[in-house]
Amino acid sequence: MRLQVQGMMEAFLESRTDSYAILQLRDIDETRQEQFASLDYLHRHGKEPDIDHYEIVYTADLPTFTDRDVMLESLYTKFNIDHPADFTGHSLSVSDIVALKTGGVVSCHYVDSWGFKALPDFLKPENYLKNAEMAMED
Protein backbone atom coordinates (compact mmCIF):
# COMPACT_ATOMS: atom_id res chain seq x y z
CA MET A 1 0.00 0.00 0.00
CA ARG A 2 2.81 2.45 0.88
CA LEU A 3 4.37 1.91 -2.56
CA GLN A 4 1.02 2.68 -4.20
CA VAL A 5 0.80 5.95 -2.23
CA GLN A 6 4.39 6.75 -3.20
CA GLY A 7 3.48 6.06 -6.81
CA MET A 8 0.62 8.55 -6.56
CA MET A 9 3.00 11.19 -5.18
CA GLU A 10 5.49 10.58 -7.99
CA ALA A 11 2.73 10.73 -10.61
CA PHE A 12 1.45 14.00 -9.14
CA LEU A 13 4.89 15.61 -8.97
CA GLU A 14 5.91 14.42 -12.45
CA SER A 15 2.62 15.29 -14.14
CA ARG A 16 2.99 17.66 -17.08
CA THR A 17 -0.49 19.08 -16.53
CA ASP A 18 -1.74 21.41 -13.84
CA SER A 19 -3.17 19.19 -11.13
CA TYR A 20 -4.03 18.96 -7.46
CA ALA A 21 -3.66 16.37 -4.73
CA ILE A 22 -5.54 15.84 -1.50
CA LEU A 23 -3.33 14.57 1.34
CA GLN A 24 -4.73 13.22 4.58
CA LEU A 25 -3.03 11.96 7.70
CA ARG A 26 -2.25 8.26 7.75
CA ASP A 27 -4.08 6.33 10.45
CA ILE A 28 -1.07 5.53 12.64
CA ASP A 29 -0.20 6.11 16.30
CA GLU A 30 2.11 9.05 15.49
CA THR A 31 -0.75 11.02 13.90
CA ARG A 32 -3.46 10.60 16.54
CA GLN A 33 -2.88 14.02 18.15
CA GLU A 34 -2.46 15.70 14.75
CA GLN A 35 -5.77 14.57 13.26
CA PHE A 36 -8.15 17.50 12.89
CA ALA A 37 -5.65 19.78 14.69
CA SER A 38 -5.25 23.42 13.72
CA LEU A 39 -1.85 24.67 12.64
CA ASP A 40 -1.78 26.83 15.79
CA TYR A 41 -2.29 23.69 17.92
CA LEU A 42 0.63 21.96 16.17
CA HIS A 43 2.87 24.99 16.65
CA ARG A 44 1.98 25.24 20.36
CA HIS A 45 3.16 21.63 20.68
CA GLY A 46 6.38 22.24 18.76
CA LYS A 47 5.24 20.43 15.62
CA GLU A 48 4.93 21.13 11.91
CA PRO A 49 2.97 19.07 9.38
CA ASP A 50 5.23 16.14 8.46
CA ILE A 51 5.03 14.64 4.97
CA ASP A 52 5.81 11.21 6.43
CA HIS A 53 2.50 11.34 8.30
CA TYR A 54 0.45 11.95 5.14
CA GLU A 55 -0.73 10.00 2.16
CA ILE A 56 -2.28 11.13 -1.09
CA VAL A 57 -5.93 10.08 -1.17
CA TYR A 58 -6.88 11.79 -4.44
CA THR A 59 -5.37 13.52 -7.47
CA ALA A 60 -6.92 15.10 -10.52
CA ASP A 61 -6.34 17.71 -13.19
CA LEU A 62 -6.64 21.23 -11.89
CA PRO A 63 -9.25 23.43 -13.59
CA THR A 64 -7.97 26.76 -14.90
CA PHE A 65 -8.21 29.48 -12.25
CA THR A 66 -7.14 33.05 -11.65
CA ASP A 67 -7.49 33.28 -7.85
CA ARG A 68 -5.76 30.60 -5.77
CA ASP A 69 -7.89 31.26 -2.68
CA VAL A 70 -11.10 30.87 -4.67
CA MET A 71 -9.77 27.59 -6.14
CA LEU A 72 -8.91 26.26 -2.68
CA GLU A 73 -12.38 27.14 -1.39
CA SER A 74 -13.89 25.48 -4.46
CA LEU A 75 -11.95 22.28 -3.74
CA TYR A 76 -13.00 22.46 -0.08
CA THR A 77 -16.65 22.63 -1.15
CA LYS A 78 -16.19 19.83 -3.69
CA PHE A 79 -14.68 17.47 -1.13
CA ASN A 80 -17.36 18.22 1.46
CA ILE A 81 -20.56 18.46 -0.58
CA ASP A 82 -20.00 16.83 -3.96
CA HIS A 83 -17.34 14.13 -3.53
CA PRO A 84 -16.00 12.62 -6.75
CA ALA A 85 -17.24 9.03 -7.14
CA ASP A 86 -13.71 7.61 -6.84
CA PHE A 87 -12.77 9.61 -3.72
CA THR A 88 -12.25 7.28 -0.74
CA GLY A 89 -10.95 9.72 1.90
CA HIS A 90 -12.98 11.56 4.52
CA SER A 91 -14.51 14.98 3.83
CA LEU A 92 -11.84 17.66 3.57
CA SER A 93 -11.13 18.75 7.15
CA VAL A 94 -8.70 20.60 9.38
CA SER A 95 -5.22 18.98 9.16
CA ASP A 96 -5.65 17.88 5.53
CA ILE A 97 -3.39 19.35 2.87
CA VAL A 98 -4.25 20.46 -0.65
CA ALA A 99 -1.29 20.52 -3.05
CA LEU A 100 -1.67 22.58 -6.22
CA LYS A 101 0.64 22.12 -9.20
CA THR A 102 0.48 24.96 -11.68
CA GLY A 103 3.05 25.62 -14.36
CA GLY A 104 5.31 22.96 -12.84
CA VAL A 105 5.35 24.66 -9.43
CA VAL A 106 3.82 22.90 -6.43
CA SER A 107 2.33 24.76 -3.48
CA CYS A 108 0.90 23.09 -0.39
CA HIS A 109 -1.95 24.47 1.69
CA TYR A 110 -2.97 23.29 5.16
CA VAL A 111 -6.71 23.16 5.81
CA ASP A 112 -6.90 25.18 9.00
CA SER A 113 -9.71 26.12 11.37
CA TRP A 114 -10.38 29.18 9.21
CA GLY A 115 -9.22 28.95 5.62
CA PHE A 116 -5.93 27.63 4.33
CA LYS A 117 -2.34 28.28 5.41
CA ALA A 118 0.55 28.01 2.94
CA LEU A 119 3.19 25.40 3.79
CA PRO A 120 6.23 26.46 1.74
CA ASP A 121 8.55 23.84 3.28
CA PHE A 122 6.20 20.84 3.24
CA LEU A 123 7.42 19.26 -0.02
CA LYS A 124 11.09 20.12 0.08
CA PRO A 125 13.11 17.91 -2.27
CA GLU A 126 14.96 16.29 0.64
CA ASN A 127 11.62 15.35 2.26
CA TYR A 128 10.41 13.82 -0.98
CA LEU A 129 13.64 11.83 -1.47
CA LYS A 130 13.55 10.62 2.14
CA ASN A 131 9.97 9.50 1.64
CA ALA A 132 10.88 7.64 -1.56
CA GLU A 133 13.73 5.83 0.21
CA MET A 134 11.47 4.81 3.09
CA ALA A 135 8.87 3.49 0.64
CA MET A 136 11.49 1.35 -1.07
CA GLU A 137 12.52 -0.10 2.31
CA ASP A 138 8.87 -0.99 3.09
Side-chain angles (χ1 to χ4, degrees):
M1 176 78 169
R2 185 90 168 122
L3 287 175
Q4 178 183 11
V5 169
Q6 187 60 36
M8 289 178 72
M9 178 62 82
E10 288 174 9
F12 169 70
L13 292 173
E14 294 172 4
S15 170
R16 294 176 188 249
T17 62
D18 289 352
S19 54
Y20 68 93
I22 305 295
L23 292 87
Q24 295 182 332
L25 285 164
R26 296 180 355 189
D27 190 16
I28 56 175
D29 289 339
E30 291 87 355
T31 65
R32 298 283 185 259
Q33 289 187 322
E34 298 170 18
Q35 292 178 343
F36 311 110
S38 70
L39 202 51
D40 184 54
Y41 173 88
L42 291 180
H43 290 161
R44 284 194 318 261
H45 289 86
K47 295 183 176 188
E48 289 288 334
D50 183 342
I51 191 169
D52 293 333
H53 292 180
Y54 285 84
E55 61 188 352
I56 290 184
V57 295
Y58 194 80
T59 62
D61 288 342
L62 185 62
T64 302
F65 67 94
T66 56
D67 185 312
R68 186 190 68 225
D69 293 335
V70 171
M71 174 52 65
L72 288 168
E73 289 298 331
S74 170
L75 291 171
Y76 183 85
T77 300
K78 178 178 187 168
F79 286 91
N80 276 283
I81 296 173
D82 190 22
H83 294 196
D86 57 345
F87 176 62
T88 58
H90 59 74
S91 292
L92 203 58
S93 301
V94 173
S95 78
D96 294 342
I97 293 173
V98 178
L100 303 177
K101 182 175 183 184
T102 54
V105 177
V106 177
S107 61
C108 296
H109 309 272
Y110 192 86
V111 181
D112 212 353
S113 300
W114 299 105
F116 294 83
K117 298 289 192 298
L119 296 175
D121 297 329
F122 184 71
L123 270 182
K124 285 193 171 209
E126 61 269 17
N127 289 343
Y128 174 69
L129 291 173
K130 181 176 86 169
N131 217 22
E133 289 171 6
M134 290 177 64
M136 292 304 290
E137 290 174 7
D138 288 348

